[in-house]
Amino acid sequence: MPLDKKRILIAKPGLDGHDVGAKVIALALRDAGAEVIYTGLRRSPEHIVRIAVDEDVDMVGLSILSGSHKELVADVVSRLESEDAGDIKLFVGGTIPDEDHADLRDAGVSGVFTSEMKIETVIAEIERQLS
Amino acid sequence: MTAPRPRRRISRELTRIANAPVDSVLAEIGDSAPASRPRIGVTGPPGAGKSTLINTLAAHRIGANLCDTMAVLAIDPSSPVSGGSILGDRIRMDRIADLPGLFIRSLSSRGARNGLCDNIVDLLVALERHAFDEIVLETVGTGQSEVEVAELVDTTVLIVPPDAGDSVQTMKSGILEVADIIAVTKADMPGAARMAADIGTILRARGDWMPPVVETRGDGTGVPRLSDEIDRHRAWLAEARPHAVSNARRRRYHLRALIARQAEEALSGDRHLAEGALADAYEKLTRKLGVG
Ligand SMILES: Nc1nc2c(ncn2[C@@H]2O[C@H](COP(=O)(O)OP(=O)(O)OP(=O)(O)O)[C@@H](O)[C@H]2O)c(=O)[nH]1
Ligand SMILES: [Mg+2]
């Protein structure tokens, strides 16, 4: 399996209460062989980064529907760096307008996945980046 | 409270140990034996409330200064199809998730069938080396026969939900015999008192330790009493079982686990190995392992 022994944290920061998308991704990653840790809803960036560090994940996927992706990403990135964990890859999924993708990438995000993308495409891209 | 730990270093070390093949365990990992720390095992059927109980137990023990630092290893099953897993135990541990003295690591069983995972012995030792005051091990949701956790911990807490019904009958010979303390969880649901009483009638003393039955709830009711019983068992154990005996049991478990893995690695690495007459296949396998 391409994601054998890869550890991935799927996290939901912010205030929105929908985690169907996050769960779909978590299951698809498991089916590709990954060990997936899911945080549950409404976690603070501080909490997410602590879990990422303690669980020694290869990647954090943030599921954000609330529109505050820029702030949340900046917060998570700076906290990862101050925990000496800047090498952990960061992906963002959810409702992210096209014009924000470049900014997110500049901020340190390795992949932006929107709900229109096919799940196979998302998994393939994650496999590529983690291999 | 002790100084903040180098969490990232500990966590990377755990990954390295969890992924180590048998060779590296033998060469560099397996022999370190720091002063042992009290270990609590939490086992019981799937969904019985193990993680929820660890959440309230850890909050109580750290809150009441019974320990400053605690490490939790929580194992969830891997998919037999993809080998992947969803590690969900820590979702229930939200009450303790931000305590500075606490370290939680979720582990996949990676195909192990005894409720534990590869290299669990070395993972426990690594946490002892980092001097956590106490270590808690949550097994995969188990049936009656996954008793090996008791070989690795000092105090085995068996979690039974009120609706376990007939399965308590089947636990009679098996996990119930190695449990040091029984916690009937979900005591807010009907049937808990009845379940506790039923278990009480089938339990037997081991030596002069009679396993107590404690009722607990997800809101923490009953947890101080459980915590007291853990301390009482620990004190009893210090008198009743020399540490050398526990260490010898752990060593035997370790050796068996390494052999089992080596056999698994050999069999999955060469599919012809299992072919032919059983006796021949056995001969080939043992030769490959260098046994006998
Ligand atoms: N009513 C009630 N529900 C509880 C209690 N404790 C746990 N639960 C619920 O039982 C379900 C399973 O709880 P967990 O703590 O995840 O159980 P577990 O034994 O760790 O489960 P696995 O690790 O998957 O085997 C969850 O929905 C909990 O909310 C309790 O005291 N009362
Ligand atoms: Mg659990």
Side-chain angles (χ1 to χ4, degrees):
Chain A
M1 279 288 166
L3 293 176
D4 184 40
K5 295 199 168 88
K6 296 291 185 215
R7 295 173 62 84
I8 297 173
L9 175 65
I10 298 296
K12 274 212 62 84
L15 296 177
D16 67 273
H18 298 280
D19 63 350
V20 179
K23 285 179 172 162
V24 167
I25 288 283
L27 283 171
L29 288 166
R30 180 201 65 181
D31 292 341
E35 297 178 359
V36 184
I37 296 131
Y38 176 59
T39 60
L41 293 168
R42 301 189 187 92
R43 302 299 168 167
S44 67
E46 184 183 5
H47 189 84
I48 290 167
V49 168
R50 167 148 169 190
I51 299 178
V53 168
D54 286 7
E55 298 286 358
D56 192 24
V57 295
D58 302 287
M59 166 191 143
V60 177
L62 298 177
S63 164
I64 307 174
L65 306 173
S66 61
S68 43
H69 39 271
K70 284 192 190 163
E71 299 79 355
L72 289 168
V73 161
D75 200 349
V76 168
V77 167
S78 76
R79 286 175 190 277
L80 280 172
E81 274 162 9
S82 59
E83 292 291 327
D84 184 26
D87 56 313
I88 296 177
K89 288 205 159 60
L90 188 62
F91 290 70
V92 177
T95 40
I96 317 284
D98 287 348
E99 62 268 27
D100 290 348
H101 290 203
D103 288 350
L104 289 176
R105 284 177 193 280
D106 289 344
V109 171
S110 312
V112 180
F113 304 126
T114 56
S115 27
E116 299 88 63
M117 287 172 76
K118 283 171 83 173
I119 189 96
E120 295 80 19
T121 317
V122 173
I123 301 295
E125 176 60 13
I126 291 173
E127 286 173 6
R128 195 182 66 76
Q129 293 213 27
L130 292 188
S131 63
Chain B
M1 185 59 65
T2 43
R5 272 142 210 287
R7 309 186 77 95
R8 177 109 165 119
R9 198 159 56 78
I10 298 175
S11 106
R12 305 219 89 164
E13 185 185 327
L14 294 180
T15 305
R16 193 177 65 87
I17 294 172
N19 293 346
V22 175
D23 293 351
S24 347
V25 172
L26 295 178
E28 35 154 353
I29 300 175
D31 264 323
S32 50
S36 91
R37 301 278 168 159
R39 300 177 182 178
I40 303 165
V42 177
T43 190
K50 298 179 290 297
S51 305
T52 305
L53 186 80
I54 291 172
N55 186 39
T56 51
L57 181 67
H60 173 74
R61 292 187 71 79
I62 293 179
N65 290 321
L66 296 167
C67 66
D68 275 344
T69 59
M70 183 185 274
V72 177
L73 293 180
I75 311 175
D76 267 321
S78 58
S79 154
V81 179
S82 72
S85 50
I86 302 279
L87 307 177
D89 289 322
R90 74 180 301 146
I91 294 182
R92 309 275 174 225
M93 302 186 191
D94 54 345
R95 202 186 278 195
I96 51 175
D98 291 325
L99 294 179
L102 196 91
F103 186 94
I104 307 173
R105 172 55 78 90
S106 313
L107 296 165
S108 161
S109 68
R110 294 191 177 164
R113 273 163 291 222
N114 59 358
L116 303 170
C117 64
D118 288 348
N119 294 347
I120 185 67
V121 178
D122 305 289
L123 291 165
L124 290 164
V125 167
L127 294 170
E128 289 178 334
R129 204 180 314 117
H130 287 289
F132 285 95
D133 293 339
E134 289 188 352
I135 298 167
V136 177
L137 173 61
E138 176 181 343
T139 71
V140 171
T142 53
Q144 51 184 314
S145 62
E146 293 89 340
V147 296
E148 289 183 319
V149 59
E151 296 176 36
L152 299 184
V153 301
D154 301 297
T155 302
T156 303
V157 180
L158 173 66
I159 309 292
V160 186
D163 55 2
D166 290 346
S167 65
V168 169
Q169 287 306 313
T170 62
M171 281 178 189
K172 248 161 60 175
S173 28
I175 187 70
L176 211 48
E177 291 173 290
V178 300
D180 300 305
I181 300 171
I182 321 299
V184 175
T185 47
K186 311 191 188 183
D188 52 311
M189 309 233 301
R194 172 81 197 278
M195 174 59 73
D198 285 357
I199 292 174
T201 61
I202 49 178
L203 280 173
R204 296 285 173 271
R206 280 204 310 286
D208 54 357
W209 178 257
M210 185 62 207
V213 183
V214 182
E215 291 178 42
T216 64
R217 295 186 191 191
D219 67 3
T221 311
V223 169
R225 161 133 195 258
L226 172 67
S227 172
D228 289 348
E229 296 290 8
I230 290 171
D231 288 331
R232 196 165 67 82
H233 179 260
R234 195 174 288 168
W236 174 82
L237 201 63
E239 294 288 316
R241 192 168 82 199
H243 201 73
V245 174
S246 310
N247 278 344
R249 292 209 315 204
R250 288 171 192 179
R251 173 52 68 93
R252 283 199 299 276
Y253 173 90
H254 205 178
L255 288 168
R256 281 201 311 276
L258 289 171
I259 293 280
R261 259 182 82 197
Q262 199 70 296
E264 189 57 46
E265 281 172 23
L267 287 168
S268 52
D270 175 0
R271 62 195 166 79
H272 298 300
L273 208 58
E275 289 169 0
L278 182 64
D280 295 341
Y282 182 79
E283 168 77 25
K284 274 187 286 176
L285 177 59
T286 48
R287 207 171 329 115
K288 185 133 194 165
L289 298 180
V291 197

